[in-house]
Each structure stands twice: as C-alpha cells, then as structure tokens.
Amino acid sequence: MAELAEADRYLLEQIDRGNKDGWAQLVQRYQGRLLAFARSRLSRKAEAEDLVQDTFIAFLEAIKRFDRRLSLETFLFTILRRRIIDALRGKRLKLTYLQETMHGDRDDMEDASSRLEGPSMTASWYAHRAEDANLLSDALGASLNALVGRFREAENFRDLQIVEMLFYAQLRNKDVASVMKMDEKAIALIKHRCLNELRDHITAHARLNKADSQWLASPAWESAEFAASMVTQVWEAQRPTCPKRSTIGRLMLGTLDGTWKSYVEFHVNELGCRFCRANLDDLQKQTDEAPKALHERVMHSTIGFFRS
Ligand SMILES: [Zn+2]
C-alpha cells in the first residue's frame, strides 16, 4: 500500500539530521529486496549490485523531492526500475509474470510510461500536463485507492484480480477472460464500469484545473485504451494492491486464511508481481540465512568446550 511506514518516517528524520546510523539502517532495510528485484532482470550479479548502489546514491540526491505521503519502497523501486531499463537499453521491463506468459514477446506491449508518449497522445494534453503534471495523477491515485478499498472491503477479490490484470499487467480482455474462465464481454463491462467509477470519483473529490476537467470529460477518456494506459501509469507508480511485506511474510509462513490467502497467492504467484516477488525472495533468503547465523553463534559460544 502506498503509505509511508512509521519506521521509514523515523529513519528519514534521522537522515535529515545527518545521522549516518539512520542511513545505514535504511540501506539495510531495503537492499535485499532491491537486489532481488535487480537480480530477477540482470544475469550478472555485479551489475545488479552496481544498480542497487546507484539507486541509493540517486535516492540521497533526490531525497528533498521525495513526497513523504508515498511509500519509500515504491520510490526506491521506481529509481531502480529506471536504471534497469537504461541498462537493458530501453528494452521493456514487464512487471508481472502473467504479462510474460500471456504476451510472450509481443512487441506492441511496452511500459505504460512509454506508451503514454506514443502518437495517441495529443499535443494539447501534453502542453497542460507540463504545467501541472501531478494534479491529475494524484487525483487518479486517490480514486484508484478508493476503488481498490471498496473491492477489498466487500471481499470482491474476483473484480480485484480482474482490475489488476487489466490495469497492472495490461492484459487484453480476452486474456483476462481466459484466466478467469469468464466471458470476454463480462470483462469488458467490468473494465468500462471501473473507468467510469474512477472518473466519477475524480470529478467528485478532486479540485482539478480547467484543462484537466475538460480532458476528463472529453472523448479521450472514453477511449478505453487511452484511459487504461493512464491508469496503468499511476498504478505502477503507486501499487495500490501490493500486499504489505508482512503479509507476504505470512504467506510464506502459511499463516494466511481463506479468500484473503487465495487473493494474496494470486497476486504474488499467479499474477507474479515482480515487486512482491522481490520481497518474497528477500524474505526467503533471510529465513535461509538465519539458521546459518544462529549456527555460527552457537559454535562461537560453545567452542570453549572443545579446547584441550
Ligand atoms: Zn505486488
């Protein structure tokens, strides 16, 4: 969930005061999952480590611009992701396993960020975008959270899975229908309803500038593909459905129950969200290494028994 954790807030305050220990703790807290994410895309271990190091340096350089209402983890992942795309020379970086299975090497699928820069983008939209780039994204982010929150509260995990596949994994209606064993038309209807709900929520709650309001009411939003790529871009930046790291830990330990468990399993294993996979890999590694550390401690404290 896109929200600054208490521990992160504390560490950032330490860093603001120039406290090196706070920084060391922050690096310790995030290096494992960042490395797991980089390693999933880059075969050379040294290269992955270099990019993680660059990410931390870039974070310190950008720390004043970090919006502290948002998740620190997502911010770090975003920096790292851009560096990986650079390292792959602009090759696409799919964020979910399901995208890879479904799309294979389809070349018309790209990162949402690059799709938005495509020819479908109107010049006038871009012009006002530059003026007040974050206003609409913020409003859309809040509306996405409301939509996701409503699905969760109602335990409507079916629709939650569908919107993840549509807007996060960018699957076609047809592919979502086959995963869900549903009719393609039913998927199209859910997509249409969600986009309408998002637009209505933005209109009702956000204070937008005139250009944004006009754009939202224009036929551009009605073109589902265009609106969806806009939603995808904000989705990727805010990850509204990613479970907390502690929840991923509980999935690993097998202590989740019922429909919630099935949903988290879907997100992490079937959809295969790479950010959550990175957390899972990191948690598993920590678990694997813990006995080794304990072993060393026990050996160290008992060595006296064996001295002659
Ligand atoms: Zn996730």
Side-chain angles (χ1 to χ4, degrees):
M1 297 297 282
E3 197 173 279
L4 192 61
E6 203 49 51
D8 289 334
R9 197 183 305 279
Y10 172 78
L11 290 176
L12 286 170
E13 280 166 16
Q14 301 296 307
I15 295 162
D16 286 340
R17 290 199 202 108
N19 181 325
K20 222 162 71 184
D21 286 348
W23 175 241
Q25 280 181 53
L26 188 139
V27 173
Q28 178 68 33
R29 187 168 153 87
Y30 287 103
Q31 64 179 24
R33 61 192 97 169
L34 291 173
L35 189 61
F37 183 74
R39 291 276 285 147
S40 73
R41 297 305 316 215
L42 302 162
S43 45
R44 280 177 43 236
K45 194 177 168 205
E47 192 180 10
E49 286 180 357
D50 286 351
L51 292 189
V52 171
Q53 189 184 349
D54 289 350
T55 298
F56 282 120
I57 295 168
F59 172 73
L60 279 184
E61 286 167 353
I63 196 163
K64 290 210 164 61
R65 276 179 280 129
F66 170 54
D67 179 349
R68 299 193 178 194
R69 291 168 303 167
L70 300 176
S71 146
L72 181 58
E73 181 191 88
T74 300
F75 188 62
L76 287 166
F77 271 139
T78 304
I79 299 175
L80 176 60
R81 188 181 158 205
R82 291 207 186 110
R83 277 170 172 62
I84 294 173
I85 292 173
D86 286 346
L88 298 172
R89 291 189 179 76
K91 250 192 358 203
R92 297 188 312 276
L93 183 60
K94 290 170 184 152
L95 292 185
T96 60
Y97 289 179
L98 208 52
Q99 244 166 315
E100 284 170 25
T101 344
M102 288 290 181
H103 293 146
D105 280 331
R106 258 178 69 197
D107 272 338
D108 55 334
M109 293 307 300
E110 285 153 35
D111 260 31
S113 45
S114 54
R115 282 174 79 190
L116 267 184
E117 287 155 20
S120 65
M121 206 70 206
T122 65
S124 65
W125 189 83
Y126 243 122
H128 83 74
R129 209 87 298 271
E131 283 166 27
D132 212 343
N134 291 323
L135 214 60
L136 188 58
S137 296
D138 282 356
L140 185 51
S143 302
L144 264 180
N145 270 318
L147 181 77
V148 165
R150 188 172 70 73
F151 285 152
R152 276 192 179 167
E153 223 155 273
E155 299 199 12
N156 184 354
F157 294 117
R158 186 201 71 170
D159 286 7
L160 199 54
Q161 287 172 312
I162 291 171
V163 293
E164 285 194 309
M165 284 188 276
L166 290 171
F167 299 132
Y168 189 34
Q170 304 176 56
L171 297 193
R172 293 167 295 197
N173 294 355
K174 195 177 81 175
D175 295 331
V176 177
S178 90
V179 174
M180 298 303 288
K181 298 184 178 62
M182 283 170 69
D183 185 64
E184 196 180 326
K185 282 199 191 105
I187 303 294
L189 188 64
I190 290 169
K191 183 177 186 175
H192 180 71
R193 279 195 191 134
C194 286
L195 289 174
N196 278 351
E197 187 174 331
L198 289 171
R199 175 166 67 181
D200 292 347
H201 190 276
I202 295 173
T203 313
H205 293 89
R207 231 183 282 142
L208 296 174
N209 61 31
K210 206 172 151 214
D212 276 338
S213 307
Q214 279 172 351
W215 178 74
L216 209 58
S218 76
W221 185 268
E222 286 292 334
S223 112
E225 194 179 337
F226 184 74
S229 76
M230 176 86 198
V231 174
T232 297
Q233 198 187 35
V234 174
W235 194 294
E236 288 179 357
Q238 306 209 356
R239 299 165 54 209
T241 56
C242 285
K244 289 184 188 142
R245 182 170 161 99
S246 55
T247 305
I248 297 171
R250 289 180 60 202
L251 177 71
M252 184 180 81
L253 296 171
T255 59
L256 292 176
D257 305 308
T259 48
W260 176 234
K261 179 192 170 200
S262 321
Y263 166 70
V264 176
E265 252 169 3
F266 168 81
H267 182 90
V268 176
N269 296 330
E270 197 175 344
L271 182 74
C273 166
R274 285 195 173 276
F275 298 115
C276 290
R277 297 294 311 179
N279 268 297
L280 182 66
D281 289 351
D282 181 41
L283 287 166
Q284 272 165 346
K285 204 161 159 258
Q286 284 180 3
T287 315
D288 292 347
E289 278 168 7
K292 211 169 101 195
L294 181 61
H295 179 80
E296 273 166 16
R297 257 174 66 193
V298 173
M299 293 313 285
H300 188 75
S301 58
T302 53
I303 197 153
F305 288 94
F306 298 94
R307 286 202 182 114
S308 52

